Amino acid sequence: MTRVDQGAVPMAEVWRGGLLESTHLGHAVICDARGIVQAWGNPAAVVFPRSSCKMIQALPLVESGAAAAVGLTDAHLALSCASHQGAHLHVEMAGRWLADLGMTEADLRCGAHEPADREERDRLIRAGDAPCQLHNNCSGKHSGFLTATRHLKAGPEYVEIDHPLQKAIRAATEEVTGETISGWGIDGCSAPNFAMSLEGLARSMAAFATAREGHGVRESAMHRLAHAMARYPELVAGEGRACTELMRAMGGKVAIKTGAEAVFVAILPEQGLGIALKVLDGNSRASEAAIAALLVKLGVLDAAHPDAQKRLNPIQKNWRGLVTGELRVAPGFV
Amino acid sequence: MTRVDQGAVPMAEVWRGGLLESTHLGHAVICDARGIVQAWGNPAAVVFPRSSCKMIQALPLVESGAAAAVGLTDAHLALSCASHQGAHLHVEMAGRWLADLGMTEADLRCGAHEPADREERDRLIRAGDAPCQLHNNCSGKHSGFLTATRHLKAGPEYVEIDHPLQKAIRAATEEVTGETISGWGIDGCSAPNFAMSLEGLARSMAAFATAREGHGVRESAMHRLAHAMARYPELVAGEGRACTELMRAMGGKVAIKTGAEAVFVAILPEQGLGIALKVLDGNSRASEAAIAALLVKLGVLDAAHPDAQKRLNPIQKNWRGLVTGELRVAPGFV
């Protein structure tokens, strides 16, 4: 098994006053249906995909018939693939979803954390309220987990590694990546997260990109999830966030998803390509720059778009608005 | 001039589920009065010290006689070397300091940002108040800058590169590091930040460590500043922060200071040693682990102390309190 620190290459640099201040190394892989098209760093590096694999984790929800049984819309599916920022929009939608199932926030197993959405955060503080599990960035994924769990008539502890839902996710993960999982860890939201090679992750994204509606249960589910994400960028992350802004900038033609510790994936249906990348040190300023650079390279993102520029070459300003430095894509990358 | 990305070595690793998830590279140097004692990575790497050089930036304040003229205490000097978290304690003290000078918050040039202190942050949100410049983590440094500026009878724009105060800081920087500065950038607080080799930064910390009271203006100022920091750990950062907790754990015998983009320095008077380190990717979880490991190695920090363990081997728990992973000092480092 190849450790993630083997063979990483420069991906992004932070400059200040004409001098290099910090550097980020990483790995990136582009795959089509047959395998690797191009790679930087080490495609064999084993990574935890973290939240970047939420569309894989949503496969049993769709494939089991659970989503259809309760009439989930594409918006629900987009939220099930989201790392949302706990804005009113997200919290309200997850809450209604659970209510429609006859369940409550207490059925979730993701835990509660302060929402990243500033307005909702401040509203809670002013009201003297604590955040609830609906504010957790994974509450959509967990609402999907609960929907699938109920359909499978399985027990309430749906994040246990031996729970039928997690077994189904593990099987789906191995099938779409084309490899046996390399191990597993517990994610921030308590769900198991299965380790895989970066190549395997990119291959699975290519499978999402090439999946055709009406060609069997698996392909139909992959097609629907990828298109749901691209259609509802505001549900997948939130205002100001890279996933939302870059998907909007690409006009709904590409689905992208970030994961903790600086993983990023992309699904390009028109090109039949999948991308996966990991920044070695886990910093998302670098993974956002790197995914934007790859999307520009593949012709689906306009480098001149302000939301692309914000990631490709963010200008750092200080508290008085003075320019202090900038992040640049490393010269050798892409 | 040696770029910071030349020759960095593994410093800290993040593990999850028995697999390496992320890695941080960097450089570290230990100096005594004669030069390098031991180094990891590349001591010639040029870095921006950022806030880790605040005790150097405070030298003109003391050496000019400005501090004595207005009767600044050691607590004021500790705050002038601080990256505080804008808690009530810090804001109130900086405000009184300015009032005693007959000045106001509007004379500061650091800009305003939301305080890291949770209680003060929430108080502002509940009151519907915006943070002011006193909340800026550098407001103590800037209060010192204003004190020195007034004493020098210089103009109000004290962060300009050609301002007499910044010229004095530049001269002091070159003298204590023993090298010509490699360039300069603008810091988050708008002050110039002078680039130097990591060796130069470590050498300057050794100079602080070996400075004797009563041996001339420079040594007396260095001695006083280092001891002021070690004596008031709560003023240098704040509750829960690495600088504050580790200085407390070392019983006031060592002064340490973090800087943005993962710089850390330490001044060890009893050992006559200075430390400087930089994590290549700018992540402070790694710089905190690395400085703690070096302080343990040098015998001034008890590895078993809970506040040392919090940095040497922080256990990552998720939102439900489940253990998900841990950070470890890299096997080859220290």
Side-chain angles (χ1 to χ4, degrees):
Chain A
M1 190 155 51
T2 307
R3 276 170 56 123
V4 70
D5 57 353
Q6 302 305 303
V9 296
M11 274 190 163
E13 301 176 343
V14 179
W15 289 75
R16 177 181 300 265
L19 296 171
L20 180 67
E21 182 166 24
S22 296
T23 294
H24 300 279
L25 309 178
H27 314 277
V29 183
I30 303 173
C31 279
D32 65 13
R34 288 182 307 275
I36 295 179
V37 173
Q38 197 168 355
W40 296 261
N42 193 341
V46 169
V47 303
F48 283 106
R50 307 295 297 275
S51 287
S52 77
C53 71
K54 278 176 174 163
M55 69 295 280
I56 301 176
Q57 292 175 308
L59 285 172
L61 169 66
V62 181
E63 295 174 357
S64 68
V70 297
L72 294 190
T73 63
D74 279 3
H76 288 99
L77 295 184
L79 196 67
S80 79
C81 298
S83 299
H84 65 70
Q85 55 194 16
H88 177 72
L89 168 76
H90 309 115
V91 173
E92 208 263 342
M93 188 171 165
R96 258 191 301 123
W97 182 348
L98 293 181
D100 289 347
L101 294 176
M103 298 179 129
T104 72
E105 177 262 0
D107 293 307
L108 295 171
R109 294 291 181 270
C110 50
H113 64 76
E114 186 169 79
D117 181 78
R118 188 75 171 248
E119 200 175 310
E120 180 65 3
R121 182 199 76 172
D122 289 1
R123 188 191 69 72
L124 289 170
I125 291 169
R126 285 196 200 97
D129 282 346
C132 71
Q133 294 193 85
L134 295 171
H135 289 100
N136 187 306
N137 74 88
C138 299
S139 69
K141 178 176 86 171
H142 283 247
S143 297
F145 282 176
L146 279 172
T147 306
T149 296
R150 207 181 65 156
H151 191 79
L152 297 169
K153 301 193 188 347
E157 301 308 323
Y158 62 82
V159 293
E160 298 294 331
I161 187 74
D162 292 329
H163 189 276
L165 175 61
Q166 298 306 331
K167 285 184 178 173
I169 290 172
R170 183 183 185 136
T173 301
E174 296 196 333
E175 287 156 16
V176 297
T177 59
E179 59 184 47
T180 305
I181 65 149
S182 302
W184 64 281
I186 302 173
D187 211 337
C189 70
S190 295
N193 196 254
F194 299 112
M196 55 188 67
S197 74
L198 198 66
E199 177 184 351
L201 183 57
R203 199 184 301 120
S204 73
M205 294 303 125
F208 275 91
T210 54
R212 294 156 301 171
E213 200 168 10
H215 279 70
V217 171
R218 168 64 42 87
E219 285 202 39
S220 295
M222 292 180 111
H223 181 273
R224 188 173 176 204
L225 286 163
H227 285 79
M229 290 174 69
R231 188 174 159 196
Y232 293 101
E234 70 281 6
L235 294 178
V236 174
E239 298 309 323
R241 294 268 300 281
C243 286
T244 298
E245 291 192 343
L246 293 178
M247 283 199 283
R248 274 191 193 138
M250 293 184 288
K253 293 187 169 185
V254 176
I256 66 172
K257 184 71 192 73
T258 190
E261 295 290 327
V263 177
F264 230 118
V265 299
I267 299 166
L268 289 72
E270 288 184 10
Q271 291 73 18
L273 297 174
I275 306 175
L277 67 86
K278 157 79 183 170
V279 175
L280 185 57
D281 58 71
N283 193 318
S284 60
R285 67 182 177 190
S287 58
E288 292 180 5
I291 195 73
L294 287 165
L295 293 167
V296 167
K297 173 190 167 67
L298 294 174
V300 291
L301 177 65
D302 176 6
H305 192 292
D307 289 332
Q309 273 301 306
K310 253 172 84 173
R311 274 81 202 190
L312 289 168
N313 183 218
I315 304 301
Q316 298 182 332
K317 293 188 179 181
N318 70 11
W319 305 112
R320 290 171 72 212
L322 302 175
V323 172
T324 55
E326 62 180 311
L327 184 142
R328 302 177 192 160
V329 175
F333 180 63
V334 183
Chain B
M1 190 155 50
T2 306
R3 277 169 56 123
V4 71
D5 57 353
Q6 302 305 303
V9 296
M11 273 189 164
E13 301 176 344
V14 178
W15 288 74
R16 176 180 302 264
L19 296 172
L20 180 67
E21 181 166 26
S22 297
T23 293
H24 301 279
L25 310 177
H27 314 277
V29 184
I30 303 173
C31 279
D32 64 14
R34 290 182 305 275
I36 295 178
V37 172
Q38 196 168 355
W40 296 261
N42 192 341
V46 169
V47 302
F48 283 107
R50 308 294 297 275
S51 288
S52 77
C53 71
K54 278 177 172 162
M55 68 296 279
I56 301 177
Q57 292 175 307
L59 286 172
L61 169 66
V62 181
E63 295 175 356
S64 68
V70 297
L72 294 190
T73 63
D74 279 2
H76 287 99
L77 294 184
L79 196 67
S80 78
C81 298
S83 299
H84 65 69
Q85 55 193 17
H88 177 74
L89 168 77
H90 309 116
V91 173
E92 208 262 343
M93 189 171 164
R96 259 191 298 123
W97 182 348
L98 293 181
D100 289 346
L101 295 176
M103 297 178 131
T104 73
E105 179 262 358
D107 293 307
L108 295 171
R109 295 291 181 268
C110 49
H113 64 76
E114 186 168 80
D117 182 79
R118 188 75 173 249
E119 199 175 313
E120 180 66 3
R121 183 199 76 170
D122 289 0
R123 188 191 68 73
L124 289 171
I125 292 168
R126 285 196 199 97
D129 283 346
C132 71
Q133 295 192 84
L134 294 171
H135 289 100
N136 187 305
N137 74 87
C138 298
S139 69
K141 179 175 85 170
H142 282 247
S143 297
F145 282 176
L146 279 171
T147 306
T149 295
R150 206 179 68 156
H151 191 79
L152 297 168
K153 301 193 190 343
E157 300 309 324
Y158 62 82
V159 293
E160 298 293 330
I161 187 75
D162 292 329
H163 189 276
L165 175 61
Q166 297 305 332
K167 286 184 177 172
I169 291 172
R170 182 182 185 136
T173 301
E174 296 196 332
E175 288 157 15
V176 298
T177 59
E179 59 184 48
T180 306
I181 66 148
S182 303
W184 63 280
I186 301 173
D187 211 336
C189 69
S190 295
N193 197 254
F194 299 111
M196 56 188 68
S197 74
L198 199 66
E199 177 184 351
L201 182 57
R203 200 184 301 119
S204 74
M205 294 302 124
F208 274 91
T210 54
R212 293 156 301 172
E213 198 169 11
H215 280 70
V217 171
R218 169 64 42 88
E219 283 202 41
S220 294
M222 293 179 109
H223 181 274
R224 189 173 174 203
L225 286 163
H227 285 78
M229 290 174 70
R231 189 174 159 196
Y232 293 101
E234 71 281 7
L235 294 178
V236 173
E239 298 309 323
R241 294 268 300 281
C243 285
T244 298
E245 292 192 343
L246 293 179
M247 284 200 283
R248 274 190 193 140
M250 294 184 288
K253 293 188 168 184
V254 175
I256 66 172
K257 185 73 192 73
T258 189
E261 294 290 327
V263 178
F264 230 118
V265 299
I267 299 167
L268 290 72
E270 288 184 9
Q271 291 74 17
L273 297 174
I275 306 174
L277 67 87
K278 157 81 183 168
V279 175
L280 185 57
D281 57 72
N283 193 318
S284 61
R285 67 182 176 188
S287 58
E288 292 180 6
I291 195 73
L294 288 165
L295 293 167
V296 167
K297 173 190 164 70
L298 294 174
V300 290
L301 178 64
D302 175 6
H305 191 291
D307 290 332
Q309 273 301 308
K310 251 171 84 173
R311 274 83 202 189
L312 289 169
N313 183 218
I315 303 302
Q316 298 182 334
K317 293 188 180 180
N318 71 7
W319 305 113
R320 289 170 74 211
L322 301 176
V323 172
T324 55
E326 61 180 312
L327 184 141
R328 302 177 192 161
V329 174
F333 179 64
V334 182

